[in-house]
Amino acid sequence: MRKIEKTNELIDAIISILIEESIEDLPNICLRYGLDIGDTLEASKNKNIYIKKRLESKNQLFLLDLARRLLDDYYLKADFLKNVLYKVTYNGLYTISELTRKNIMDALYSKGNIEGKLELTDFLNRIWNLEQMSSTDHRFNNALGDIWQHMINNSDWDEVFLYEDYLKLLTSSDQIFISFLETVVHPIVRNQSEIDEYIKFLDSHLIKDGYHFISSDTISGYTIYKIKKVVDGVKGAAKNLIFAALGKKPDIVISDSINNDIKIINDESNCLVYDRPITDKCLLWLDLVKWWSDKNNYVEINKCIERELYLRLLNSLDSQPEKIFLKSYFALFKNKIKENLPALIPQVYLHYDPYTQKQRFDTKILPRQRMDFLLLFSNHIRVVIEIDGKQHYSNGDTSSPRLYAEMVRADRALKLQGYEVYRFGGFEFINEETSIKLIKGFFEELFKKHEIEY
């Protein structure tokens, strides 16, 4: 299917959803989905033309995103849209395929008691808002009435009809299907021994489409499991986070080589050591602030404490481009993401040589000891950001192939360990206005890649 044909069919499918809305509601609904609002008078003349006019100026990327959002909101009325999306997207509509879904559902039917310890409607309401979903039976006001009548009162529907024909779980969005599976293994639904069993067989199917369950959080001592894309990342667990050193290099020794425990015996006050567990959750700015507050025995967290930590991190940076990078990050995303802002950690020790380069007679044993910035999207997903001044690739004003080779060799080693490495040239930050746009675009793409909502 050619691009123009795809776009036109996608527009027609979107129109088929929105045209069912009333003339009075249509302008505000368009506004909600990022379309020009217009007014009810314009909509009243011809709803089809009104909607089409707002869609034809949009590119295919916008239309695909809009179609998926509409699918989440109108999925029981969106069969035509589902079919069109399946044809126009590169990998089809779902990243968890219909075949995988069917295999999973057949296994769940075989086990029985999908809703576990909950009443059926209570279980389903954790995934769908049944009272807001339209009824297919004229006797009832919503889907809650349908399901109560046909699954509980009369029992004339079976589970296959409920999940596949009525709730259309095999063709719903990935978001809905994932929410369903996460609810199946929630501790409020079943006990831990069952959860372990369910996750084992669910993972055996999900892994074929690149997904698996991970331990995400705890509630009252019970583990909450979430489905995530499988990523290789860095093997092993992050343990020692030493960063933002001021002045002299800290004097670090191994206090227990069996446990890989380290100790700073001199100049400890010059650097910061984050000593709390780093889990499969993203290390957030709020986590750092809480740690800083406890470390300094503050009674409560407030903006003054955040400001104090921010300035402490800023002071660890020597170059102006690095300072612009950190300042811009907070200016662009702090108020936008708020408590979910990932921590951008400056000057993090990666390798450690107790001797200076001078003491080693200008011989480098470890090519890179500190990273300019580090983000920990989880214990294993680690992103390194380097801001390169000319010292990275030249001696004074003379380019140095040797220095450049050392730099790229160190990058290769990090990438092979599973780190993501991104480099910026210091020259990119000469103009502050263009550098802010550069930083904004970079982090928006990075957050999208790692599913950070902003």
Side-chain angles (χ1 to χ4, degrees):
M1 187 184 291
R2 291 184 303 163
K3 185 175 181 179
I4 294 176
E5 292 174 346
K6 287 182 177 182
T7 301
N8 288 338
E9 191 165 359
L10 198 53
I11 287 173
D12 289 341
I14 292 170
I15 291 173
S16 73
I17 298 292
L18 295 180
I19 204 166
E20 297 299 321
E21 298 292 346
S22 70
I23 290 169
E24 292 75 19
D25 293 337
L26 195 52
N28 284 330
I29 289 171
C30 285
L31 180 64
R32 185 203 314 161
Y33 290 110
L35 301 171
D36 297 334
I37 185 169
D39 54 43
T40 54
L41 179 61
E42 184 187 358
S44 67
K45 292 178 181 177
N46 188 311
K47 284 199 286 185
N48 191 306
I49 293 174
Y50 172 87
I51 301 166
K52 193 169 188 176
K53 177 182 175 182
R54 280 147 180 79
L55 297 174
E56 286 181 329
S57 62
K58 303 297 184 183
N59 61 39
Q60 194 179 87
L61 204 58
F62 177 92
L63 294 173
L64 283 169
D65 179 67
L66 173 58
R68 289 190 173 95
R69 291 167 63 198
L70 289 170
L71 191 63
D72 283 338
D73 295 342
Y74 295 86
Y75 62 94
L76 286 180
K77 304 176 182 177
D79 288 342
F80 176 44
L81 181 60
K82 290 172 194 170
N83 291 333
V84 171
L85 265 176
Y86 193 84
K87 285 191 288 183
V88 302
T89 53
Y90 180 74
N91 288 321
L93 177 54
Y94 325 106
T95 53
I96 301 177
S97 73
E98 195 169 350
L99 177 60
T100 295
R101 296 175 186 219
K102 181 60 178 170
N103 289 337
I104 287 173
M105 293 310 298
D106 286 346
L108 288 174
Y109 300 144
S110 176
K111 282 182 169 294
N113 193 30
I114 293 173
E115 64 272 22
K117 295 182 283 187
L118 299 183
E119 295 292 333
L120 177 62
T121 52
D122 291 337
F123 170 82
L124 296 176
N125 259 324
R126 297 178 72 89
I127 307 146
W128 296 274
N129 188 339
L130 300 180
E131 292 185 356
Q132 295 297 316
M133 291 166 54
S134 301
S135 169
T136 58
D137 188 323
H138 66 88
R139 295 173 295 174
F140 304 104
N141 296 323
N142 50 42
L144 183 61
D146 288 357
I147 293 169
W148 179 86
Q149 173 65 24
H150 296 287
M151 290 295 296
I152 299 169
N153 191 36
N154 276 356
S155 301
D156 54 342
W157 289 358
D158 60 14
E159 285 186 321
V160 176
F161 183 86
L162 171 67
Y163 288 110
E164 298 182 19
D165 294 285
Y166 187 78
L167 295 171
K168 300 187 185 299
L169 197 51
L170 299 187
T171 54
S172 63
S173 66
D174 280 324
Q175 181 183 352
I176 291 290
F177 190 72
I178 286 171
S179 176
F180 167 76
L181 293 183
E182 289 173 348
T183 304
V184 167
V185 298
H186 195 282
I188 205 167
V189 173
R190 42 189 29 96
N191 60 44
Q192 188 61 54
S193 61
E194 271 193 299
I195 290 172
D196 294 341
E197 177 191 348
Y198 273 63
I199 285 177
K200 185 176 180 179
F201 89 78
L202 290 172
D203 270 351
S204 69
H205 294 288
L206 290 170
I207 198 67
K208 295 171 183 175
D209 289 331
Y211 286 89
H212 67 154
F213 276 97
I214 64 163
S215 168
S216 174
D217 206 348
T218 59
I219 295 178
S220 302
Y222 293 94
T223 304
I224 305 298
Y225 295 93
K226 296 291 184 183
I227 293 174
K228 295 290 183 183
K229 289 286 286 183
V230 176
V231 285
D232 290 335
V234 181
K235 302 297 186 285
K239 189 174 184 183
N240 303 310
L241 196 56
I242 304 170
F243 63 104
L246 301 172
K248 291 176 64 178
K249 179 192 294 186
D251 192 355
I252 303 172
V253 297
I254 299 174
S255 61
D256 185 335
S257 62
I258 296 174
N259 288 333
N260 192 31
D261 291 332
I262 66 170
K263 184 177 181 180
I264 301 175
I265 57 174
N266 288 312
D267 303 307
E268 183 175 3
S269 60
N270 289 349
C271 63
L272 302 179
V273 182
Y274 184 80
D275 53 4
R276 296 187 174 176
I278 297 167
T279 66
D280 271 319
K281 295 172 65 178
C282 180
L283 182 64
L284 303 176
W285 168 245
L286 185 60
D287 295 326
L288 279 191
V289 173
K290 288 176 179 175
W291 161 80
W292 179 258
S293 177
D294 292 344
K295 169 184 168 67
N296 291 285
N297 298 315
Y298 294 134
V299 176
E300 60 181 4
I301 295 173
N302 55 44
K303 289 185 178 179
C304 291
I305 292 171
E306 285 197 65
R307 179 73 177 168
E308 181 180 281
L309 175 58
Y310 166 76
L311 291 175
R312 173 62 182 80
L313 299 184
L314 191 64
N315 287 338
S316 71
L317 301 173
D318 296 323
S319 78
Q320 189 62 22
E322 289 174 0
K323 291 181 178 180
I324 289 173
F325 196 82
L326 186 69
K327 287 178 180 178
S328 299
Y329 179 75
F330 278 90
L332 289 165
F333 298 103
K334 175 65 176 68
N335 292 329
K336 192 171 186 180
I337 304 182
K338 297 180 180 176
E339 67 272 8
N340 291 320
L341 179 72
L344 180 63
I345 313 165
Q347 300 297 296
V348 181
Y349 275 94
L350 172 66
H351 306 302
Y352 182 78
D353 184 348
Y355 295 101
T356 65
Q357 191 170 338
K358 185 177 179 180
Q359 288 172 310
R360 290 198 180 276
F361 305 101
D362 277 343
T363 301
K364 277 190 179 181
I365 302 299
L366 298 169
R368 176 196 283 128
Q369 292 197 49
R370 284 194 300 186
M371 300 172 279
D372 290 342
F373 295 98
L374 176 70
L375 293 117
L376 295 168
F377 289 123
S378 78
N379 204 329
H380 307 288
I381 309 305
R382 308 176 196 174
V383 174
V384 177
I385 298 170
E386 297 286 355
I387 314 293
D388 295 340
K390 64 180 183 180
Q391 74 275 11
H392 287 82
Y393 46 81
S394 64
N395 288 313
D397 293 326
T398 304
S399 62
S400 171
R402 178 182 63 80
L403 286 176
Y404 179 76
E406 287 177 356
M407 180 177 72
V408 296
R409 182 168 65 248
D411 281 357
R412 287 197 303 272
L414 271 184
K415 290 175 182 177
L416 287 171
Q417 290 177 52
Y419 286 82
E420 290 181 37
V421 182
Y422 299 96
R423 285 193 172 276
F424 291 85
F427 187 79
E428 294 180 274
F429 299 93
I430 290 177
N431 183 298
E432 190 164 343
E433 184 178 340
T434 57
S435 67
I436 289 173
K437 291 180 181 177
L438 172 71
I439 294 165
K440 182 175 184 290
F442 168 74
F443 277 109
E444 285 178 344
E445 290 300 315
L446 187 68
F447 291 159
K448 187 183 297 182
K449 176 180 178 181
H450 290 284
E451 299 179 349
I452 304 295
E453 294 185 6
Y454 62 93

